Amino acid sequence: MTRKSSTGAETSKTGVPREIAAAPRLLEWYDRHRRALPWRAPPGESADPYAVWLSEIMLQQTTVAAVKAYYVTFLALWPDVAALAAAPVDEIMKRWAGLGYYSRARNLHACAQTVVAGHGGRFPGTEAALRALPGIGPYTAAAIAAIAFDQRAVVIDGNVDRVIVRRHGIEQPIALAKPEIRRLADAATPAGRPGDYAQAMMDLGATICTPRKPACVICPLAEGCVARISGRQEVLPVKGVKAARPLRLGSVFYIRRGTEVLVRTRPPKGLLGGMTEFPGSAWDAVGDPEGKAAPLAAIHRRLPAPVEHGFTHFELRLTVFVADMPRKTPAPDGCRWVPEEGLDGEALPGLMRKVAAAVNLFG
DNA sequence: AACCCGTGGCC
DNA sequence: TGGCCAAGGGT
């Protein structure tokens, strides 16, 4: 007979939690349907900790599709942790440009240097030691320990959250259910093939137990899934209350000197930390509609349409001003001239690429 | 604990 | 079109 335990976990007639029995089913499915990804070792081969680490950092809050090309480039430029540690951080920022969450790039470099200087150039093989490295949090430490070092670690990412919430019919928002999710994930994690199990959960979440329209009909874990049985697979997980995204305004100045353009480097920490930008005003509720924040006194033309960009927690609308300066105009303090042709090679974030594109279009 | 931190693709 | 979402970490 079937009953519910106090945690809400389904139990079989033997009293064994279904999650334990589910692992072999999941691994069998993984062996047939695993995605081929550039950072994955072939079946049966052990993964390179450096490759696993690099991919996991890039994949933090970032889609597989966006990561692939960056990963291939990084691995070609810096094939091992020593090479990455020896690279100038500016070069890493440039190659990271466009991928977002730029503190990851700075931490990537810091982590590589720590591994070289403090661990003899080899990644530590325990979850606790990995967790102590810059840019490696609970998820990434567990993932590397499991995938690269074959250790039984409880790997919980957004996919695992979603799969477990559905499988157990948890009706609370994920943020409130974290402790229970952790308990259930721990109970479900097998001792054998921990890396494959972790990646199987991610593949399941990415291809079958997707956020929208999950493909329960072909799901290897459909049996015993509370959400599936109750028809609530498209309702769970319940979403939490989202904070409103305020609008911030500002100005940005695209100032040319012949074939060069004026740029500066943002402070190392905070939004777009360490990245290159065109000079401009602060971003606030008021903005700079008249272009008073111009770094050089000049005749500026205002582009007909502002550049808009969505960040995680606010929306930005930038008024773009364009000016042309005489050949020998010196760069103001904190700014420098760079060839327009070389902008692609700068550590230019997506927002600033939008600005450059708007200038090319209108000005 | 609650914010802060990018970007592109999806429907 | 706009809100949602993606292999989270730092503070």
Side-chain angles (χ1 to χ4, degrees), chain A residues 159-233:
Chain A
N159 290 304
V160 175
D161 281 336
R162 186 171 57 254
V163 170
I164 288 183
V165 161
R166 284 181 177 154
R167 188 162 172 73
H168 298 275
I170 296 173
E171 295 286 343
Q172 299 168 287
I174 287 173
L176 295 179
K178 284 290 182 186
E180 184 174 7
I181 293 172
R182 166 79 199 194
R183 282 196 299 275
L184 293 165
D186 195 346
T189 302
R193 300 182 63 188
D196 284 348
Y197 176 79
Q199 294 178 94
M201 287 290 280
M202 297 176 205
D203 277 16
L204 187 76
T207 65
I208 291 182
C209 197
T210 49
R212 285 173 302 210
K213 305 277 185 185
C216 301
V217 175
I218 57 171
C219 180
L221 301 186
E223 182 185 337
C225 177
V226 173
R228 164 66 165 162
I229 292 166
S230 59
R232 291 181 62 73
Q233 65 270 22

Side-chain angles (χ1 to χ4, degrees), chain A residues 8 30 41 57 95 111 139 174 204 214 224 226-227 239 253 287 289 292 300 312 340:
Chain A
Y30 182 69
I57 300 300
R95 297 292 181 170
C111 183
Y139 160 74
I174 287 173
L204 187 76
V226 173
K239 295 145 197 84
F253 300 87
K292 291 182 177 176
H300 294 95
T312 308
E340 284 184 288

Side-chain angles (χ1 to χ4, degrees), chain A residues 3 14 23-24 27 30 39 44 68 104 128 151 154 176 219 243 250 261 266 276 287 289 292 347 355:
Chain A
R3 63 179 180 83
T14 63
L27 285 166
Y30 182 69
W39 46 87
K68 278 183 179 173
R104 292 185 295 174
Q151 302 209 353
V154 182
L176 295 179
C219 180
V261 61
R266 293 177 63 87
T276 303
K292 291 182 177 176
V355 171

